[in-house]
Amino acid sequence: VSLMCILNICVFIYSENEILILYCLLLSIVAYTDFAAKWVPDTLIFLMAALSGIAIEPEYIIYSLISIIFFTAPALFINLIGYVRKREVWIASGDFYIIPTIAIWVEPEHAASLMLLVLMVTISISVRCKKVPMITVIYFSFMGYKLCSLLNIF
């Protein structure tokens, strides 16, 4: 929890985008709730969707849609593999409500690689622990990505 607070403070310090700051705070609440309760209330999902929708500038709608496609595609592919091989769903349906809201904040050229990183970390952790909350893993990956972006590291 303290690492989540530190990451949110860093975004607050380095970003001038109030909507991004609110979104990161809300994402940390969702990540913690998913970790602790293995469930996310619909109200939080709707708030995340609303904040992401507000953040899209009209001239960047196409870029946002491309990011959503690239960020969601690896997760859908993994879920398809799980269904074909074992007739089970590997990624919870609630995660697929949150994933597009996160994708809007990611550049299209980084979207697929960020999701692949999330999937690799999630799969690595799930070897030892079952029922890994993917949104929590996405939170830490997204915050690392955003802080690198805000600090012009890449």
Side-chain angles (χ1 to χ4, degrees), residues 132-143:
V132 176
M134 189 170 161
I135 297 302
T136 305
V137 177
I138 291 175
Y139 168 76
F140 288 108
S141 303
F142 173 75
M143 292 299 282

Side-chain angles (χ1 to χ4, degrees), residues 76-141:
L76 287 171
F77 183 69
I78 289 291
N79 231 18
L80 181 65
I81 290 172
Y83 184 76
V84 169
R85 293 178 110 199
K86 296 188 175 186
R87 297 282 185 227
E88 59 186 33
V89 177
W90 289 347
I91 300 174
S93 62
D95 295 348
F96 283 109
Y97 294 123
I98 297 172
I99 287 171
T101 70
I102 297 169
I104 289 172
W105 297 95
V106 179
E107 296 291 326
E109 57 267 16
H110 301 132
S113 58
L114 184 61
M115 179 51 82
L116 288 172
L117 172 73
V118 166
L119 291 171
M120 287 190 301
V121 170
T122 304
I123 290 168
S124 299
I125 294 171
S126 67
V127 169
R128 295 197 185 264
C129 306
K130 299 297 177 200
K131 304 285 184 183
V132 176
M134 189 170 161
I135 297 302
T136 305
V137 177
I138 291 175
Y139 168 76
F140 288 108
S141 303

Side-chain angles (χ1 to χ4, degrees), residues 23-76:
Y23 183 83
C24 290
L25 180 63
L26 186 60
L27 182 58
S28 67
I29 293 168
V30 167
Y32 180 76
T33 305
D34 192 29
F35 177 76
K38 308 287 188 253
W39 170 76
V40 177
D42 291 341
T43 308
L44 294 177
I45 295 171
F46 294 142
L47 283 172
M48 290 181 72
L51 280 175
S52 293
I54 291 169
I56 299 175
E57 296 178 22
E59 61 268 13
Y60 295 113
I61 289 176
I62 299 297
Y63 291 113
S64 297
L65 292 175
I66 292 170
S67 288
I68 290 170
I69 291 168
F70 285 157
F71 196 68
T72 308
L76 287 171

